[in-house]
Amino acid sequence: MPAAERRELILGHASEVFGRRGYPGTTTEQIAQAAGISQPYVVRMFGTKEKLFVEVMERALGKLIVAFREVIRLRDSGEIPAGELGARLGQAYVDLIEDRGILMSLMQGFIQGHDDVIGRRARAGFLEIYRLLRDEAGIPADDVRSFLADGMLINTLLAIGMPDNFEGDEAATELMNLSFGAKLDAVLCVASEQSSRQA
Amino acid sequence: MPAAERRELILGHASEVFGRRGYPGTTTEQIAQAAGISQPYVVRMFGTKEKLFVEVMERALGKLIVAFREVIRLRDSGEIPAGELGARLGQAYVDLIEDRGILMSLMQGFIQGHDDVIGRRARAGFLEIYRLLRDEAGIPADDVRSFLADGMLINTLLAIGMPDNFEGDEAATELMNLSFGAKLDAVLCVASEQSSRQA
DNA sequence: GACATTAGTAATCAATCAATTACTCGAGCG
DNA sequence: CGCTCGAGTAATTGATTGATTACTAATGTC
């Protein structure tokens, strides 16, 4: 397999494992197994575990930005009404759950703020999103804050494993309905897929 | 020093270190150093690192619940107007930042959802807060969701280290002003204290 | 004044993990 | 063929880490 392809394959699996277990909680061996290759090859391809994680974060941030920019483009070209911008951005965010590694590995980077390298990149990334929504999308600052807050709640619910473990709990069901809206079915579908893949 | 007192002292320091570095990223040695005792004693007092972390989470959750219940009591006894309940609860939450370990160790537990023991406890704790606000405080479900979202954004901003590294960044300053409100000064004060303590 | 009991520590161990080294295998190619 | 180069692994290593063991020093107390 050509190196570029293998690289992207590793990044995809690393994204998932890092997203689930966090940066310090993930071993390069776990990533190697997920990608179906040997541990030394993971290290060799990215230099260090830290560099791999930073690349995973950058890839996730990139996909998030692309998704948001596409919605903004649709608004600018008049394909969607300006009043719907917020709802469409929210929809774009929730859609990203389908590749859960994207949102989760980003979140895992966010809570690694104490780390010099990862923390710096995480803060820059977070502010990049903030500016994108405020300046490029033209959303009022406090609405951006509120939008980001909703996103962080979604991230937290995913990270805490709520979709995989809410079995019949009335409060959990209600909270998830309110947080994920119409996308809830898709979220649960992904959850059951991932549970079975893990087993 | 009597064991009970030492225990609480260790829990306090463990809360801070776990909150900053996360569960897998923290060593029992780091906690021992912070508490000024030997590493084996930390392990002996709590059995395992995992049990210590669960106790840290439980302690943090307990303090959060006490703070919220106090606000609800003030509303019930008429000492604060019912219309101010949400604002007062928000204030109570932001006040907790002064012991940053409380919010951060809880957050570190939330993103450990994949772990059987910690994840189960984290989910139960999160739902406990949800029910407290909805049932005991009587807040409409979607307002509770929104309140929790704001809390998760605050947690994320703290975890990402924004208060310690926003130096002159216009976007970061604006976002923090919007998120922490009047409490921003106190947040930054704690931040500088912790930075100097770390050095 | 022996004797527990409590509050700790020093030394060490087994396991884990990221990283390095030294290889192997196969495809292209002159 | 002989030879290199890209893709990959097996074996190993040095450092870290949670946990265990075996101790010691102080504090009552009968």
Side-chain angles (χ1 to χ4, degrees):
Chain A
M1 182 180 296
E5 192 179 333
R6 176 116 290 172
R7 197 185 173 81
E8 178 59 23
L9 187 140
I10 297 177
L11 280 173
H13 287 283
S15 181
E16 197 185 312
V17 182
F18 273 137
R20 183 155 12 100
R21 315 185 65 94
Y23 172 61
T26 296
T27 72
T28 54
E29 172 67 36
Q30 287 165 342
I31 294 170
Q33 275 195 319
I37 55 172
S38 70
Q39 178 262 340
Y41 197 41
V42 173
V43 174
R44 239 243 310 233
M45 183 157 282
F46 295 92
T48 65
K49 178 183 166 183
E50 190 182 58
K51 284 179 186 164
L52 168 56
F53 184 75
V54 170
E55 273 209 48
V56 164
M57 276 187 62
E58 239 133 43
R59 175 172 168 279
L61 188 69
K63 296 204 175 197
L64 180 58
I65 287 176
V66 163
F68 281 169
R69 282 232 171 89
E70 172 62 12
V71 175
I72 296 172
R73 195 190 62 74
L74 288 175
R75 191 266 322 254
D76 290 344
S77 71
E79 290 171 69
I80 61 173
E84 268 188 34
L85 181 66
R88 292 299 187 106
L89 285 168
Q91 189 60 41
Y93 191 78
V94 178
D95 283 348
L96 282 175
I97 293 176
E98 252 145 56
D99 181 353
R100 199 174 293 189
I102 294 178
L103 299 189
M104 288 299 90
S105 57
L106 258 186
M107 191 66 182
Q108 296 287 357
F110 291 161
I111 60 139
Q112 216 62 27
H114 65 94
D115 182 295
D116 281 351
V117 177
I118 296 172
R120 189 186 320 275
R121 193 66 196 88
R123 286 186 291 275
F126 197 96
L127 291 177
E128 210 174 324
I129 298 291
Y130 181 75
R131 288 204 195 84
L132 176 75
L133 295 171
R134 191 192 58 176
D135 302 338
E136 289 188 41
I139 300 173
D142 196 62
D143 292 349
V144 173
R145 188 207 60 79
S146 180
F147 179 84
L148 291 176
D150 290 353
M152 292 309 107
L153 175 59
I154 286 175
N155 285 355
T156 306
L157 288 175
L158 289 177
I160 208 173
M162 206 61 96
D164 312 276
N165 304 80
F166 76 115
E167 309 273 329
D169 185 299
E170 160 271 327
T173 307
E174 182 180 72
L175 177 55
M176 285 180 41
N177 266 306
L178 291 171
S179 303
F180 295 107
K183 198 69 187 180
L184 182 57
D185 286 343
V187 172
L188 295 178
C189 176
V190 174
S192 69
E193 271 174 37
Q194 294 197 338
S195 300
S196 57
R197 196 181 314 150
Q198 210 173 347
Chain B
M1 183 183 294
E5 193 179 332
R6 176 117 290 170
R7 197 184 173 81
E8 178 59 24
L9 188 140
I10 298 177
L11 280 172
H13 287 282
S15 180
E16 198 184 312
V17 182
F18 273 137
R20 184 157 9 100
R21 315 184 66 94
Y23 172 62
T26 297
T27 71
T28 53
E29 173 67 35
Q30 287 166 342
I31 293 169
Q33 274 194 319
I37 55 172
S38 69
Q39 179 262 342
Y41 197 41
V42 172
V43 174
R44 209 174 51 166
M45 184 158 280
F46 295 93
T48 65
K49 178 184 166 183
E50 190 182 58
K51 284 180 187 166
L52 168 56
F53 184 75
V54 170
E55 272 209 47
V56 163
M57 277 188 62
E58 239 134 42
R59 176 173 167 276
L61 188 69
K63 294 203 176 198
L64 181 58
I65 287 177
V66 163
F68 281 169
R69 283 233 169 89
E70 172 62 11
V71 175
I72 296 172
R73 196 192 59 75
L74 287 174
R75 193 263 325 252
D76 290 343
S77 70
E79 288 171 69
I80 62 173
E84 268 188 36
L85 181 67
R88 292 301 187 106
L89 285 169
Q91 189 60 42
Y93 190 78
V94 178
D95 283 349
L96 281 176
I97 293 175
E98 253 145 56
D99 180 353
R100 199 174 292 189
I102 293 177
L103 299 188
M104 288 299 88
S105 56
L106 259 185
M107 192 65 183
Q108 296 287 357
F110 292 161
I111 59 138
Q112 215 61 31
H114 64 94
D115 182 293
D116 280 351
V117 177
I118 296 173
R120 190 186 318 277
R121 193 66 196 85
R123 286 187 290 274
F126 197 95
L127 291 176
E128 209 175 325
I129 298 291
Y130 180 75
R131 288 203 194 84
L132 175 75
L133 294 171
R134 191 192 59 175
D135 302 337
E136 289 188 40
I139 300 173
D142 195 61
D143 292 349
V144 173
R145 189 209 59 81
S146 179
F147 179 84
L148 291 177
D150 290 353
M152 292 310 106
L153 174 59
I154 287 176
N155 285 355
T156 306
L157 289 175
L158 289 176
I160 208 174
M162 207 60 98
D164 313 276
N165 303 80
F166 76 118
E167 309 274 328
D169 186 297
E170 160 271 327
T173 307
E174 183 180 72
L175 178 56
M176 284 179 43
N177 266 306
L178 291 171
S179 303
F180 296 107
K183 198 69 187 179
L184 182 57
D185 287 343
V187 173
L188 296 177
C189 176
V190 175
S192 70
E193 271 174 38
Q194 293 197 340
S195 301
S196 57
R197 197 181 314 151
Q198 209 171 347

